[in-house]
Every structure is written in structure tokens, then in C-alpha cells.
Amino acid sequence: MTKPCVFIHTNERQYLGALVSRHSLLRNSQHREAFDVKIIHTKDHPFLREREGQPFLREGGSRVWRYDDLQSFTPLRFMPPELMGYEGRAVVIDPDIFAVGDVWELLTRDMDGKAIVCRSRTGSKGLDGCMASSVMLLDCAKLTHWRAKENFTELFERKRDYMEWICLKTEPRSSIGKLEDRWNDFDHLGPETKLLHNTKRQTQPWKTGLPVDFTAASKKFKATRPKTWMRPLKRAMLGWGGAPSHYQAHPDRAQQNFFFGLLRECLAEGVVTEDQLRAEMRENHIRHDALDVLKQTPPLPA
């Protein structure tokens, strides 16, 4: 029987987060010997780099593929079934997701015959039927059509739209089961949270003060939404220039303390070395005052 596995997909910019995420999954499980945790890294899959600078289909238009984009790892979330030999159970998560509860509960839950179990996106994307593929429980035997390299190539052949792919709109809705929000808790850390997801890139707590290094997704104009047509007026009246040029402090100190509490344990256990942390700081992958923040961060409850 194939051993269940949690896959964390990442790139160089988010690799430290992936290491902290892996630590959290093992730390907070009473069944850590029963499953594997593996990191899928963009550097190990050359087909992503080979498309550098080429246009691909996204939301009906063209976008240029950038291998060094903050989220260039997203096509890899469709790779676990192939890596599992299309057998057994897998969970795939983003590198900015950290376990608060025991992921074994997710790996072993009743999938009610579904191929995929995940939650809906929030906001306009959720209303449009977009599913949050950032955390997915997968029955790999039911996903033999998931072939990441081939599906990625179809984006550049304009046979597949990136957003439809990422939102799971290319999958029969009958094959997707509903996941409780607590298993992909968007920027909320509460007693019920099982997996904390720091989705708001501009306030990820390990990035505070660094120059923003991602391109914000373009927003479709919705004439019927006051929030959309008020935006130009707000800029004119208040001098607001849009997105900030630097990452902002996370509004919830508990979420900052949770991440740095985990990172503190990673340093103590040798999962991450101080030299590695300093190198990540030089690359602007983690805030430059990280060592000072670590000193001020209380240890996490055992």
C-alpha cells in the first residue's frame, strides 16, 4: 500500500517557508511516522524554466511566464498524483501554509468517492466558482489525467487557460468534495484552525519591510461594483498610489509569532541553519531583522 504523502510545492523565493511548513506538519502530528512530507521544487523541473519569457493563456488574455516570479511553483500542485504513481492519498499545499492541527486527520478522512477535496476561494473568484487548489486532498488513482508538464505546455499552446486550471474549472464539479475552511484558513488563526494560510502576500509576516517582489494579478473591471469605480476617485482625492512598494507588517501579531515560533524551533533542531537564514536575508527572501524578531518571539506551546 502506498504511504500517504503531503507535498509542499515551492521555488527558491519561498523555500524557507516550505522548510518551516514541513516542520509544522511533523511537529503537530501524532502520526508522523504514518505519512511522508516531500518538497516539490521548481529547480528540479526544467520545463518551468524553459518557458521563460513566453506568453501563455490567462483569463482569456496573454501573460508572460516568469520563472523567478514569487508564485512560479503553482503548476507543480498538479504533480503529486504522478509522483505517487497514481496510487494512494496525497495532500498538496502552498509553501505559505503552516500546520496548527494534525494533518493526518485530513489524509485519512472519508472522501465520499471524490477525486479532490478542497475549499472555495473567497471574494469575486469564489463567486465565479473558483476552487482553492492551494490545499487539496487527492485520491491519486482518480487523477490519471493530471500530467503537470503536458498540462503546463497547453497553456502556451492556448489550449488551456491558467486560471481555469488553477481554479479546477477543468475538473468535473461532481469529482470535487467540499473542505472545511479550517483546513485552508485564509489569514485567520483561531481555535478551530488546522492549516493556517498566509494568503495576503503583501503582509506575509516573514517579509515585512522588504521590497515587493511579485506582480499583482490584474483585476477585471466590474462596472456594477462600487468598489471598482470608486478606486480612481480615491486615488485622486487621497493621493493613494495603489499597492505599496514594500511588504507591510501583518495585522495579527499572533500569526507572526506562530511563524517565527516555528522558525525558532527549526533553528534549534538544525532544520534551518543561521548561515542559511542570513543567506535568505541577503536574497530578500526573509525580512532583514529576522534574527531580532526571533529573539523577541515567545516559544510555542509544546
Side-chain angles (χ1 to χ4, degrees):
M1 184 175 178
T2 303
K3 193 175 184 180
C5 186
V6 181
F7 292 93
I8 308 165
H9 58 311
T10 190
N11 57 18
E12 204 62 36
R13 291 178 184 271
Q14 298 278 49
Y15 183 59
L16 182 71
L19 293 176
V20 175
S21 177
R22 181 172 63 185
H23 169 73
S24 74
L25 290 160
L26 296 171
R27 175 198 193 274
N28 291 322
S29 178
Q30 298 298 313
H31 305 271
R32 65 194 70 178
E33 301 301 325
F35 64 94
D36 293 323
V37 181
K38 297 180 181 180
I39 293 176
I40 317 174
H41 199 303
T42 54
K43 67 181 175 61
D44 298 320
H45 301 282
F47 68 86
L48 296 170
R49 186 187 292 274
E50 290 167 1
R51 292 290 182 174
E52 173 65 27
Q54 296 183 25
F56 66 97
L57 183 62
R58 177 168 176 156
E59 295 185 278
S62 288
R63 182 75 66 88
V64 174
W65 176 254
R66 298 298 182 197
Y67 175 76
D68 66 349
D69 184 81
L70 186 67
Q71 292 188 295
S72 64
F73 54 81
T74 52
L76 298 178
R77 66 180 56 162
F78 298 97
M79 187 162 274
E82 187 175 348
L83 296 176
M84 294 282 287
Y86 299 102
E87 295 180 356
R89 290 275 187 98
V91 165
V92 60
I93 66 174
D94 282 2
D96 52 7
I97 293 175
F98 309 100
V100 183
D102 192 337
V103 75
W104 183 248
E105 297 174 28
L106 181 58
L107 277 165
T108 57
R109 70 179 286 157
D110 182 5
M111 295 183 68
D112 194 28
K114 306 296 186 182
I116 308 161
V117 178
C118 62
R119 67 166 289 184
S120 298
R121 289 281 294 268
T122 55
S124 59
K125 285 188 171 63
L127 292 173
D128 196 35
C130 184
M131 304 304 292
S133 57
S134 46
V135 174
M136 294 184 286
L137 171 62
L138 308 173
D139 183 341
C140 297
K142 291 182 167 68
L143 295 166
T144 55
H145 58 291
W146 280 21
R147 301 183 182 276
K149 182 178 179 179
E150 293 176 22
N151 299 154
F152 180 68
T153 298
E154 290 172 348
L155 301 179
F156 300 88
E157 298 171 342
R158 303 187 72 83
K159 296 177 181 177
R160 179 182 294 263
D161 188 293
Y162 174 86
M163 285 308 299
E164 291 187 358
W165 189 29
I166 292 296
C167 288
L168 300 179
K169 292 184 180 181
T170 56
E171 301 298 318
R173 186 49 61 98
S174 61
S175 71
I176 303 175
K178 180 173 173 53
L179 185 65
E180 300 81 9
D181 292 356
R182 63 179 176 267
W183 285 107
N184 190 358
D185 220 345
F186 299 161
D187 301 287
H188 170 259
L189 178 59
E192 72 285 0
T193 302
K194 297 290 189 179
L195 293 175
L196 170 65
H197 189 179
N198 288 130
T199 63
K200 295 179 181 176
R201 290 173 293 178
Q202 67 270 25
T203 59
Q204 289 182 328
W206 57 94
K207 295 270 194 175
T208 306
L210 295 178
V212 166
D213 57 354
F214 63 86
T215 302
S218 59
K219 297 184 182 294
K220 292 182 178 179
F221 182 78
K222 302 284 187 181
T224 57
R225 293 183 183 167
K227 188 175 180 181
T228 300
W229 55 258
M230 283 293 290
R231 195 174 293 127
L233 181 60
K234 186 184 290 186
R235 288 195 184 101
M237 292 177 65
L238 303 179
W240 176 55
S245 61
H246 289 74
Y247 286 90
Q248 306 297 297
H250 198 285
D252 181 6
R253 179 55 67 91
Q255 293 185 47
Q256 174 178 302
N257 286 344
F258 183 61
F259 175 83
F260 279 96
L262 292 170
L263 180 56
R264 176 177 173 162
E265 293 177 351
C266 287
L267 282 167
E269 296 175 19
V271 175
V272 176
T273 66
E274 186 171 325
D275 285 346
Q276 186 178 6
L277 186 56
R278 290 185 183 279
E280 291 289 287
M281 290 160 63
R282 287 193 297 272
E283 294 292 329
N284 280 347
H285 295 164
I286 188 169
R287 57 195 291 176
H288 294 169
D289 63 347
L291 291 171
D292 293 329
V293 175
L294 281 168
K295 292 176 184 176
Q296 300 165 14
T297 300
L300 297 176

